[in-house]
Amino acid sequence: MEINEKQHLQKTLDVITKKIEESQAKIKDASARLRLGVKDLAENFHDMQSDLSNIYSSLADIESFEGELVKENKRLNLQKNTPYFARIDFLPKNRKKIQHIYIGIGNIIKDNVAYAVDWRAPISSMYYDYNLGKASYQTDKLNEGEITLKRQYKIEDGKLLSYFNTDLTINDEILQEILSHNVSVKMKQIVSTIQKEQNAIMRKDLNDNILVQGIAGSGKTSIALHRAAYLLYKHRGQIKSSDILIISPNNVFSSYISEVLPQLGEDNLVETTFAQIARAELKRPIETRESMLDDIATNPSQEKLNEISYKSSYEYLDSLLRFLKGPFLETFTPKDLSFVVKESLDNSVETIDFPAEQTKELFFKTFKGLDLYERINKIAWQYAMVFSEPRHYTKEQNKALRDRFKNILYRFFPIRDIDKIFEIFMARENLKISNKKTINYMDKGTYLAIKYFLYGFDHDFSAKYLIIDEMQDFTPVDIYLFKKLWKCPCIVVGDVNQCIEKNMPEEYLQLTADFLGCRLIELKKTYRSTKEIAKFANELIGLKDVEFVNRSGKEPVILHAVDQAKAIKKVLEESCAKYDHIAVVCKCQREAKEVYQKLNKLTPCVMLSQPEDYNNKVLVTTCAAAKGIEFDAVIIPNASADNYHNTIDKNILYVSSTRALHKLFFVTDSQPSHLLKGLKVEEI
C-alpha cells in the first residue's frame, strides 16, 4: 500500500516537535541540578572535603549530559526544517514485508518506529550505492535484499514541495538542479547528493588511512568533513569532535567550511594551520604561503624555482634526515661524569660515576634509531634513577634531577642552536640562506624538523583522527612531521594539479601514500563548474580523462577593454547581477591592490583578507587566497600576454578558473595571453 507522503511528513514533524519539548525539559532539569550542585558545593565545601572527588565527578557527568541534550536539541531543531531528503523501500531476502526507510541528517525514532534514519546508518548506505534491484548493507552480518523504490524529496520549512522517483543512484539531473543555485557564504553539507565513490571513502573503517587525489570540484574537502561526521556517528563514545584535528590551508578557508559539521548536527572539529603550529613552536615570524607565491608570480627566477622544487622532494627530506642522524649526531662527545653524594642519614659520602664510554654506548647503540631528544630523555631518566631509587626522591626531585642530566648531556654537542644547525645543513646542500629574521615559507618545515629531532615540541598537538587538506601545498618534510606528530588514523586530501609553485612528478602521489601508510584513491569527476568552464580548465593544463556533471552554461570569454575597471563594473552589473558571490581573482597581492583601488571607486567591493570578508558580494583577491573556495562567477583581470605567459602563470590561471561555478571572464587591455587561445574575444 502506497504511503501518504504528506501524512508521514506530518507524523514525523509531530514526533520531532514532541522530542524538542522533551529535550528542552530535560535540559532545564539538568541545568537546575548543576546549579544546585555547584551552590551546595560552594556553601558546604569544608564539610565535603572527604568526598570531593566523587562530587566533582558527579557534577562533570551532569554537565556532560546537559551538553549532549543541548546538542541533540540543536540537531532536532535543524532537522525540523527538512526531516528527511530521501526514501528507499527495501525487501530483505526471504522476507515478505517491505521496509520503508526515510533518510535524514539524524534518527527520528519513537515507540520503535523509525520516522527517519540517520544518513550514516549502515542501512542508509544502500541509497548511495545501489540502483533499483539487488542491494545489501553490512552490519555484523551481510543483509541482502532488493530495493523496490528510490524517492527524493524537496522539503523546506517542514513543507513538502515535491518528490519524484528514480531508478538510479544520485544522478546528474538532481545534481544539475542543486549545482545551478548560487554559492552560499559557507560550504554546505551534501548528504542528499553524495556519490557512490564519495560514500565509499566516507564509510571506510576508522583505521583505514586514505590519501584522496581529487581534481578541482570533486568534493575532496566535503568528503573529509562528512567522513568525520560518519566516524563521530559510528564511534560515538570513542571519538568526540574535539578529538578530530583538521589542518586547513588558512583562516579564510577554515571559516568557509565552519558550518558543514553543525549542519549535520555535530560540533565543529579542532582546526589549525601548519603555519600556526610553526609559529607556536619556533616563536619566529614566518613568511606566508601567499607572500611566497606572490614572489614567484612576480619574479619567477629559475634559481628560485629550482630551489622550491628541490625542497619539495623526498630527496631533500632524505638529505635532511641523513644529516641529522649522521654527521650531526656524530658530534656528540660525552665526557666522564662523577658526582659526590652526601647521605642525609649518616653523613656518609658516595661517589657515583658515569664513564664517557657508558654514555656513548647508551647513545649510539642502546637507543640507536630514536630522535635525539628521545635518546637524551632516556639516558637522563636512567642516570637519574641511579640516584633516586635508593633514596626515594619525590616526584619533583626526580624531575629536577632528570632536567639537570638533560642539560649536561646536551652540552656534549658543540652546536645546539637550531639556526646554526640549519645554516650548516644549507651550506652542505649548497643552498642560500636568508639574512631576514622572518623564516622563509619553504624553510619552516626544515626548522621544525630540526627542532623536533633535537628537543621535541613544546606543545601537545595530539588527536585521535587527523584530516589534512590541500596536501599538495605541503612538502615531504612537512609530511614527515605530520607522521611524527600524529600516530592516529588520517585522511589526506588534495590535488597535485592545483600546485602553483611546482609541477609534481607522477610518482609523487604514490610515494606520499606509501610514506604515510595510506591507500591512494583518485577522483576524476568534477561537480563544481559548468562543462564549458571545466573543459577550458582541463585543456589549459592538458588534464585528460576528467568527467563532469553535464551542466551547461556560457563559454569562458576574453573581454578586451581600454579601461579594465569599467569593464569589470559592466560585467558585474549586466552578466553577474543575479549572483551572490563574485571574485575578481588577481595574479598577486600588488595587482589585487591596484585593481581594488580602481574598482572600488566605481562599484562596491572588498579585498579578501579575513573570514568575514567572504560575506560580501564582490571580492578582490589573489589566486593563492581563493584556493579551496568557490564563487558563482570569477573575473580574471590583466589576462595579457605579458602578464600570463609561463608555466607558473598557467598554474595560476588553472586554479583561478576552477573557482567558478557558473561564469568565467578574462579581462585585458592589450594582447590576450597565448594560454587563453581558443577563447572568444569580445570588445567591451
Side-chain angles (χ1 to χ4, degrees):
M1 186 178 75
E2 177 60 31
I3 294 173
N4 185 309
E5 293 292 2
K6 286 190 176 180
Q7 285 181 6
H8 180 81
L9 176 59
Q10 189 55 55
K11 285 180 184 177
T12 307
L13 289 169
D14 290 344
V15 172
I16 292 174
T17 301
K18 185 66 176 173
K19 284 184 172 290
I20 289 172
E21 291 171 358
E22 289 171 353
S23 69
Q24 286 174 338
K26 288 178 182 178
I27 291 167
K28 188 176 180 181
D29 177 64
S31 181
R33 283 194 293 134
L34 187 62
R35 284 198 305 273
L36 187 63
V38 171
K39 182 183 177 184
D40 192 35
L41 178 63
E43 292 175 351
N44 303 286
F45 183 77
H46 293 293
D47 298 333
M48 296 178 172
Q49 290 290 319
S50 61
D51 202 29
L52 275 181
S53 177
N54 289 332
I55 292 168
Y56 283 136
S57 177
S58 177
L59 290 175
D61 288 343
I62 296 171
E63 188 174 30
S64 176
F65 178 62
E66 182 188 22
E68 288 300 314
L69 288 171
V70 169
K71 183 178 173 181
E72 177 70 0
N73 187 266
K74 185 178 176 183
R75 193 265 298 173
L76 288 166
N77 277 287
L78 192 68
Q79 198 162 349
K80 194 173 182 180
N81 179 59
T82 306
Y84 43 82
F85 54 83
R87 165 186 158 191
I88 55 173
D89 286 1
F90 180 65
L91 179 61
K93 191 175 181 180
N94 301 324
R95 301 266 187 93
K96 292 183 179 180
K97 188 176 180 182
I98 290 176
Q99 295 176 312
H100 307 292
I101 303 147
Y102 288 81
I103 302 169
I105 64 167
N107 291 319
I108 304 297
I109 300 171
K110 183 172 175 137
D111 299 330
N112 294 322
V113 177
Y115 293 88
V117 177
D118 197 300
W119 67 276
R120 297 165 289 188
I123 199 167
S124 302
S125 66
M126 293 189 293
Y127 169 70
Y128 302 106
D129 292 341
Y130 293 100
N131 302 331
L132 293 182
K134 288 184 179 180
S136 64
Y137 65 97
Q138 188 76 43
T139 52
D140 53 346
K141 63 176 182 177
L142 183 65
N143 301 271
E144 297 179 288
E146 181 185 356
I147 293 177
T148 60
L149 179 139
K150 291 190 72 171
R151 181 169 287 175
Q152 275 232 318
Y153 302 89
K154 187 171 184 180
I155 301 172
E156 292 179 5
D157 296 325
K159 293 183 174 63
L160 179 60
L161 303 181
S162 63
Y163 66 85
F164 61 91
N165 296 342
T166 176
D167 62 349
L168 302 171
T169 50
I170 315 303
N171 56 27
D172 279 3
E173 285 70 33
I174 298 167
L175 281 169
Q176 284 177 38
E177 197 275 326
I178 292 170
L179 295 172
S180 64
H181 296 164
N182 287 357
V183 171
S184 60
V185 174
K186 308 282 187 180
M187 180 184 279
K188 295 183 286 189
Q189 54 92 348
I190 59 167
V191 289
S192 63
T193 58
I194 292 169
Q195 301 293 288
K196 184 176 181 178
E197 69 275 14
Q198 297 173 331
N199 187 51
I201 297 170
M202 293 173 192
R203 293 176 185 264
K204 285 194 174 297
D205 187 81
L206 170 63
N207 294 313
D208 286 347
N209 292 325
I210 311 160
L211 190 156
V212 179
Q213 156 58 34
I215 62 165
S218 58
K220 301 177 294 293
T221 302
S222 286
I223 289 169
L225 294 172
H226 284 69
R227 173 155 173 75
Y230 171 75
L231 294 174
L232 288 168
Y233 170 84
K234 186 175 181 183
H235 301 281
R236 198 169 298 282
Q238 181 183 346
I239 297 178
K240 306 187 296 292
S241 294
S242 57
D243 295 323
I244 302 178
L245 175 66
I246 179 168
I247 309 292
S248 295
N250 53 54
N251 291 331
V252 171
F253 182 80
S254 296
S255 174
Y256 177 59
I257 66 173
S258 64
E259 288 187 7
V260 174
L261 270 297
Q263 286 173 1
L264 296 171
E266 300 290 353
D267 294 330
N268 261 321
L269 313 178
V270 179
E271 290 187 53
T272 189
T273 66
F274 192 45
Q276 287 172 329
I277 292 173
R279 283 194 292 270
E281 287 297 325
L282 299 174
K283 299 173 179 62
R284 294 262 298 279
I286 297 167
E287 180 187 29
T288 64
R289 177 169 176 77
E290 288 75 16
S291 294
M292 184 272 288
L293 291 176
D294 251 26
D295 190 29
I296 64 166
T298 53
N299 181 30
S301 70
Q302 195 57 51
E303 181 183 15
K304 196 177 296 178
L305 294 176
N306 289 343
E307 181 183 327
I308 288 172
S309 179
Y310 178 51
K311 288 180 178 178
S312 301
S313 69
Y314 280 94
E315 181 186 355
Y316 176 81
L317 170 62
D318 186 56
S319 293
L320 174 61
L321 295 181
R322 279 191 286 107
F323 164 70
L324 291 173
K325 295 176 181 179
F328 174 70
L329 281 188
E330 287 165 9
T331 65
F332 181 69
T333 313
K335 297 177 181 177
D336 293 334
L337 297 175
S338 185
F339 301 90
V340 176
V341 182
K342 187 176 181 181
E343 301 295 347
S344 58
L345 293 176
D346 58 6
N347 287 325
S348 61
V349 174
E350 181 186 356
T351 301
I352 300 176
D353 296 318
F354 301 106
E357 283 305 312
Q358 178 183 338
T359 305
K360 192 178 284 188
E361 176 84 11
L362 288 169
F363 190 88
F364 288 108
K365 292 185 179 178
T366 306
F367 301 125
K368 182 182 179 181
L370 299 179
D371 287 341
L372 169 58
Y373 82 93
E374 293 174 308
R375 301 188 197 196
I376 295 286
N377 284 343
K378 286 186 177 295
I379 297 171
W381 180 85
Q382 194 164 311
Y383 283 1
M385 286 301 100
V386 174
F387 282 86
S388 63
E389 279 187 341
R391 296 170 181 82
H392 306 294
Y393 287 172
T394 64
K395 189 182 290 185
E396 290 73 21
Q397 287 173 316
N398 282 333
K399 185 183 182 306
L401 198 54
R402 285 199 301 274
D403 288 344
R404 184 182 175 191
F405 272 114
K406 281 165 64 174
N407 288 331
I408 293 169
L409 291 166
Y410 272 116
R411 286 204 294 270
F412 293 151
F413 283 95
I415 299 172
R416 301 179 295 279
D417 181 75
I418 294 170
D419 285 286
K420 290 280 195 326
I421 295 166
F422 173 80
E423 289 172 14
I424 293 167
F425 175 66
M426 289 292 109
R428 288 172 62 92
E429 295 294 303
N430 294 315
L431 294 169
K432 292 180 180 177
I433 60 169
S434 169
N435 293 322
K436 298 181 295 184
K437 289 185 177 179
T438 301
I439 295 173
N440 288 340
Y441 174 82
M442 291 302 300
D443 292 329
K444 70 181 185 304
T446 306
Y447 270 94
L448 282 170
I450 292 170
K451 180 182 180 184
Y452 187 85
F453 184 78
L454 264 72
Y455 303 110
F457 276 179
D458 302 330
H459 302 82
D460 178 15
F461 300 105
S462 59
K464 290 184 179 178
Y465 193 81
L466 178 68
I467 299 172
I468 301 172
D469 206 346
E470 299 291 353
M471 162 272 300
Q472 73 280 355
D473 292 348
F474 298 113
T475 70
V477 175
D478 301 337
I479 292 166
Y480 161 80
L481 283 162
F482 296 154
K483 189 176 178 180
K484 280 284 186 181
L485 285 172
W486 295 287
K487 311 296 184 187
C488 60
C490 66
I491 182 169
V492 181
V493 300
D495 178 16
V496 292
N497 303 300
Q498 294 185 63
C499 191
I500 294 170
E501 69 273 22
K502 58 187 179 289
N503 289 324
M504 293 177 164
E506 286 184 19
E507 64 273 15
Y508 182 85
L509 276 171
Q510 194 59 58
L511 273 172
T512 302
D514 292 344
F515 184 74
L516 287 171
C518 290
R519 178 188 170 193
L520 175 61
I521 299 174
E522 297 193 52
L523 300 176
K524 296 187 176 182
K525 186 169 184 177
T526 178
Y527 301 95
R528 178 182 295 148
S529 308
T530 62
K531 67 178 183 180
E532 289 79 10
I533 294 173
K535 279 184 176 180
F536 162 75
N538 296 336
E539 288 171 4
L540 180 65
I541 61 169
L543 202 56
K544 294 180 171 57
D545 303 322
V546 173
E547 301 174 62
F548 46 81
V549 177
N550 193 24
R551 183 171 66 90
S552 292
K554 296 281 188 181
E555 293 280 353
V557 64
I558 300 170
L559 303 175
H560 187 270
V562 175
D563 189 322
Q564 292 191 72
K566 287 183 178 178
I568 293 172
K569 179 178 183 289
K570 187 175 182 182
V571 169
L572 292 171
E573 291 174 347
E574 296 180 5
S575 302
C576 299
K578 67 178 182 180
Y579 296 134
D580 297 326
H581 292 286
I582 304 119
V584 181
V585 184
C586 302
K587 182 177 178 179
C588 61
Q589 193 66 27
R590 175 188 53 77
E591 182 182 291
K593 287 178 181 176
E594 290 175 359
V595 169
Y596 170 73
Q597 287 169 358
K598 292 177 181 177
L599 186 61
N600 194 40
K601 292 176 182 177
L602 303 175
T603 190
C605 60
V606 171
M607 277 280 287
L608 178 60
S609 60
Q610 50 194 2
E612 50 267 32
D613 293 337
Y614 191 69
N615 297 333
N616 293 274
K617 179 173 180 174
V618 181
L619 300 175
V620 180
T621 185
T622 63
C623 170
K627 193 156 72 161
I629 305 174
E630 55 188 32
F631 303 90
D632 292 313
V634 167
I635 303 167
I636 300 175
N638 298 312
S640 65
D642 291 337
N643 200 31
Y644 289 99
H645 55 84
N646 58 34
T647 303
I648 298 294
D649 298 334
K650 184 195 294 184
N651 294 343
I652 291 172
L653 284 176
Y654 174 74
V655 174
S656 300
S657 299
T658 54
R659 302 306 94 207
L661 266 78
H662 310 301
K663 289 188 178 180
L664 176 61
F665 303 91
F666 299 90
V667 184
T668 179
D669 57 8
S670 58
Q671 179 69 27
S673 167
H674 74 278
L675 298 170
L676 306 178
K677 61 185 178 182
L679 292 187
K680 182 181 177 183
V681 180
E682 295 180 4
E683 297 292 333
I684 188 170

